[in-house]
Amino acid sequence: MKKLLIIISLIVIALAAYFTFRTSNGDATYRTEKISRGDIVMSITATGTVNAVTTVQVGTQVSGTIKEIFVDFNSPVRKGQIIAKIDPALFEAQEEQANANLQVARANLIKAETALTDTKRNLDRARQLYSKNLIAQSEVDTAETNYDTARASVSAAKSQILQAEASLKLARTNLRYTNILSPVDGIVISRNVDVGQTVAASFQTPTLFSIAQDLTKMQIDANVDEADIGKIKVGQDVEFTVDAYPDSPFKGKVWQIRSSPQTVQNVVTYDVVIKVDNPEYKLKPGMTANVSVIIETKENVLRVPNAALRFKIDEKVKKISDKKGTEPTGVWILEQKKPRRVRVTTGISDGQYTEIVSGDIKEGQEVITESLIKKNSSSPAPGPRFM
């Protein structure tokens, strides 16, 4: 066993000496990748939420207790369909009371009209008697006053009828509002009440149901950073995925770029609305979408990996490189196992590859992406210690 340990230690020492000697002699090694041709898709990424294009919040205009519910989650509904009912007993009583008040007002009108007819006869009689000097002028005046009063009572009775009719109309309207109707054709995506629950519409209309008008047409509200919003245009193609189907990308188009900023923790974003077809109902409201807005696409272009543009060679090898290596944009290629910097003009990038518009490079050349050289230490690495 001891002999085996000695042999292993000697092998380790030999390997360490080999690599130390190799590095000290400047035998540099690099990770490279061939320059290729291919497609580059420049895009902007963002996150957003899938929503129905039109979502209607259904509430109630009267207060009361929920007596019946006729739909549930995911129920298809038609416009005008009764989806819930509030207990109508109180409103039926109010309607009956308003109807009775109307009948009283109509009876009062008949009474007032009868009194008017009587005062009219008295006035005519008083005028005839006065013309024959059988009564004084004061009696005629009294008859005229009674007639005018009766005529005013008729006008008041007619107004009371109008008031009673308005009260009856209001009572019937409130009774009709006890039937909660769907305002649109769609699908119920939210139900917030149960039978027996009391809803109050005194200060704010409560939301009883949320109805999505058409789930075959959806939209994504994506939050795009202010640095990228200038590149977004209406009509651009969009690809996105949702967590429910990570391997099935969906497609859409930019429909609207809203100008209202949203600021969260000093980060300014803008809402970009994306229209999406959803014929199979895979997308559901509230899903999180990972969006890529396609800004520009180029096919079969010369491209290099982005790592090649970021690569910087160390000072020792730089001395033997081309003097043009100080140019701000360029890549390093290997020629006869020696690096040489080539000035290039770049185009669009997809985050992994960048288009090369011009430069002294061609397809198939090896471009350096990473140096595998480790910095030499001032003294050789110590060998293993033997106990």
Side-chain angles (χ1 to χ4, degrees):
M1 185 67 181
K2 186 175 180 181
K3 185 176 181 181
L4 179 61
L5 290 174
I6 294 174
I7 294 174
I8 293 174
S9 299
L10 291 175
I11 293 173
V12 170
I13 294 172
L15 288 174
Y18 169 75
F19 283 111
T20 301
F21 175 77
R22 183 185 178 199
T23 304
S24 64
N25 281 276
D27 189 9
T29 56
Y30 302 95
R31 179 174 286 114
T32 62
E33 187 174 332
K34 288 185 178 181
I35 300 173
S36 62
R37 284 190 173 274
D39 300 339
I40 295 182
V41 180
M42 182 181 177
S43 61
I44 291 175
T45 59
T47 58
T49 304
V50 179
N51 295 306
V53 175
T54 302
T55 302
V56 180
Q57 308 294 328
V58 182
T60 174
Q61 292 183 273
V62 295
S63 302
T65 303
I66 299 296
K67 184 178 181 180
E68 294 178 277
I69 294 178
F70 303 102
V71 296
D72 204 344
F73 292 92
N74 299 330
S75 296
V77 293
R78 305 293 295 178
K79 182 177 180 179
Q81 177 183 340
I82 299 178
I83 57 179
K85 188 177 185 65
I86 294 176
D87 189 354
L90 177 62
F91 302 96
E92 288 173 348
Q94 291 175 350
E95 182 194 24
E96 292 175 359
Q97 183 179 8
N99 187 49
N101 291 337
L102 177 59
Q103 299 306 319
V104 171
R106 288 173 176 171
N108 288 334
L109 175 61
I110 296 174
K111 181 180 178 180
E113 289 175 341
T114 302
L116 178 64
T117 302
D118 183 58
T119 56
K120 182 67 170 61
R121 285 197 300 264
N122 291 335
L123 177 60
D124 292 341
R125 187 182 302 113
R127 285 174 176 173
Q128 288 178 1
L129 294 174
Y130 177 75
S131 66
K132 298 177 181 180
N133 294 321
L134 296 175
I135 60 174
Q137 178 66 41
S138 59
E139 293 186 23
V140 177
D141 294 341
T142 300
E144 289 179 348
T145 301
N146 292 337
Y147 174 75
D148 292 339
T149 302
R151 188 168 56 181
S153 296
V154 171
S155 298
K158 290 181 179 179
S159 298
Q160 288 175 353
I161 290 177
L162 294 176
Q163 186 177 12
E165 288 176 343
S167 297
L168 178 60
K169 184 177 181 181
L170 176 61
R172 287 175 175 172
T173 301
N174 287 336
L175 179 59
R176 188 169 64 251
Y177 283 154
T178 59
N179 293 324
I180 309 300
L181 308 180
S182 173
V184 295
D185 297 339
I187 294 176
V188 178
I189 61 175
S190 174
R191 176 174 66 82
N192 303 319
V193 291
D194 294 301
V195 173
Q197 183 174 339
T198 300
V199 293
S202 301
F203 302 102
Q204 183 177 1
T205 302
T207 298
L208 308 184
F209 301 91
S210 295
I211 299 177
Q213 189 167 357
D214 184 6
L215 290 182
T216 62
K217 303 290 184 181
M218 304 290 283
Q219 72 179 35
I220 299 174
D221 294 294
N223 298 319
V224 177
D225 189 87
E226 62 176 325
D228 298 325
I229 195 65
K231 302 173 185 175
I232 306 294
K233 307 294 181 186
V234 173
Q236 288 175 331
D237 292 327
V238 176
E239 292 184 355
F240 68 96
T241 59
V242 294
D243 293 341
Y245 309 99
D247 299 325
S248 301
F250 297 85
K251 296 184 181 296
K253 284 186 177 295
V254 175
W255 177 67
Q256 191 178 63
I257 304 169
R258 296 180 177 170
S259 300
S260 177
Q262 304 174 31
T263 305
V264 179
Q265 296 181 347
N266 295 327
V267 177
V268 180
T269 60
Y270 292 87
D271 187 10
V272 174
V273 182
I274 301 163
K275 285 293 184 69
V276 181
D277 291 331
N278 187 33
E280 299 179 0
Y281 296 97
K282 287 185 175 181
L283 299 175
K284 301 184 183 301
M287 284 184 169
T288 300
N290 301 308
V291 177
S292 295
V293 181
I294 299 174
I295 306 301
E296 189 175 358
T297 301
K298 291 191 176 181
E299 299 178 351
N300 195 33
V301 296
L302 197 64
R303 62 183 187 177
V304 298
N306 287 358
L309 295 170
R310 294 191 299 267
F311 175 73
K312 294 182 179 180
I313 209 159
D314 64 323
E315 294 297 330
K316 180 178 179 181
V317 182
K318 191 181 293 185
K319 293 178 181 179
I320 62 173
S321 66
D322 189 3
K323 292 182 180 180
K324 293 182 181 180
T326 58
E327 293 294 332
T329 303
V331 295
W332 293 86
I333 63 174
L334 281 179
E335 289 185 350
Q336 298 179 353
K337 297 185 179 181
K338 293 184 178 181
R340 181 174 71 88
R341 185 172 175 84
V342 177
R343 192 170 42 179
V344 296
T345 302
T346 58
I348 65 172
S349 174
D350 61 3
Q352 184 178 3
Y353 289 94
T354 297
E355 174 195 12
I356 299 300
V357 178
S358 63
D360 187 21
I361 59 175
K362 58 184 179 180
E363 183 181 357
Q365 283 184 310
E366 297 284 345
V367 62
I368 301 174
T369 60
E370 183 183 358
S371 174
L372 302 179
I373 304 174
K374 294 183 178 180
K375 292 183 179 180
N376 295 333
S377 58
S378 56
S379 59
R385 297 176 62 187
F386 295 96
M387 303 300 294

